[in-house]
Amino acid sequence: MELMFTNLQLTGTLPPEPPRYAFAERVAAVAEAGATGIGVTAAELDGIPDGATHQLLDGHGVRIVELEAMFGWFDGDTAPEEALFRLAETYRVPRIKTAVLLIPPAGAPDPDVLAERFAGLCDRAAAHGTAVALEPVVVLPGFGHAAAHDLIRTVDRPNAGLMFDAWHVFRDPSGPSVAETVAARHVAGLELTDGLATPGPDLMDDCVNRRMLPGDGEFDLAGLLRTLRATGAEVPLSVEVLSAELRELTPREHAARVVAAVTKVLEA
């Protein structure tokens, strides 16, 4: 199955805690479950010799599909980029994920400045042979799907697109409409996850602890996938079910349950 597990899916922890399970164990679990891709942070990957990582990935038939995460560019800080770009070249990683995280009381940067800085990021990424996936993070205020879509269209770089995380799509009033109107060239992928139609009183807790396996909740995941595919985009599929319950499972058990759930959604 052409399915990618995001970095947080199998670590057994949430930042800033280090992963409970080693990268090698997670790669093996992804392969055993029948998936082909995994995401990882630059910090973790930097701690493993290149040769050992190549041997691990090749031995399991798994690719690093995504590096997390590129922050700081929207404030003008490009220093963290060097490590990510080097790793993207070394492992031929097709995309680096980023977001505009506006932690209160921070406000959104000037739109023209933001567009200039994002365009610069995309151009620097292109020089290293990788793309930039911009994910709206609506658990924080100020930069939902409408704002992210405006930025992507303004910059309109061939290596830049929106990453649609289903949790954020269905928690953002502008999410579904952006999915309906986005151009195929601006779709970086879809992260499958599920949840109740109405979140609990603590939105952050709902986001990082109470997501559900695809098909177990009330999100119209099949409809969202059909909508994005109707644009003509290929829509690479990832899974990001941030769940306190799933984090208690071993990577092997965790990955197997996820793939079984995703298979049912795709069949729908």
Side-chain angles (χ1 to χ4, degrees), residues 35-91:
T36 57
I38 193 168
V40 65
T41 65
E44 184 176 13
L45 203 54
D46 253 340
I48 309 171
D50 293 349
T53 303
H54 280 297
Q55 185 176 11
L56 170 70
L57 295 167
D58 292 345
H60 287 288
V62 172
R63 297 173 297 124
I64 298 175
V65 182
E66 182 177 88
L67 286 171
E68 292 194 21
M70 187 79 78
F71 299 125
W73 58 267
F74 48 89
D75 291 325
D77 180 11
T78 62
E81 295 178 7
E82 182 178 349
L84 282 159
F85 288 150
R86 178 182 60 79
L87 292 169
E89 287 188 334
T90 299
Y91 298 102

Side-chain angles (χ1 to χ4, degrees), residues 209-224:
N209 290 321
R210 302 190 182 278
R211 299 191 191 195
M212 304 167 73
L213 286 168
D216 284 357
E218 298 172 340
F219 294 167
D220 183 12
L221 297 178
L224 177 59

Side-chain angles (χ1 to χ4, degrees), residues 85-176:
F85 288 150
R86 178 182 60 79
L87 292 169
E89 287 188 334
T90 299
Y91 298 102
R92 298 182 180 178
V93 182
R95 67 173 180 255
I96 296 173
K97 190 155 69 175
T98 189
V100 178
L101 300 181
L102 302 176
I103 301 173
D110 178 86
D112 292 336
V113 172
L114 187 65
E116 179 183 354
R117 290 175 177 171
F118 187 64
L121 169 64
C122 295
D123 292 343
R124 293 188 296 276
H128 292 273
T130 192
V132 178
L134 178 64
E135 180 179 329
V137 179
V138 302
V139 73
L140 295 171
F143 201 80
H145 289 79
H149 193 202
D150 286 345
L151 179 60
I152 287 287
R153 287 184 293 185
T154 298
V155 169
D156 198 22
R157 291 302 196 268
N159 67 327
L162 288 175
M163 178 59 68
F164 289 89
D165 178 322
W167 187 92
H168 293 287
V169 170
F170 290 107
R171 294 291 183 245
D172 180 358
S174 71

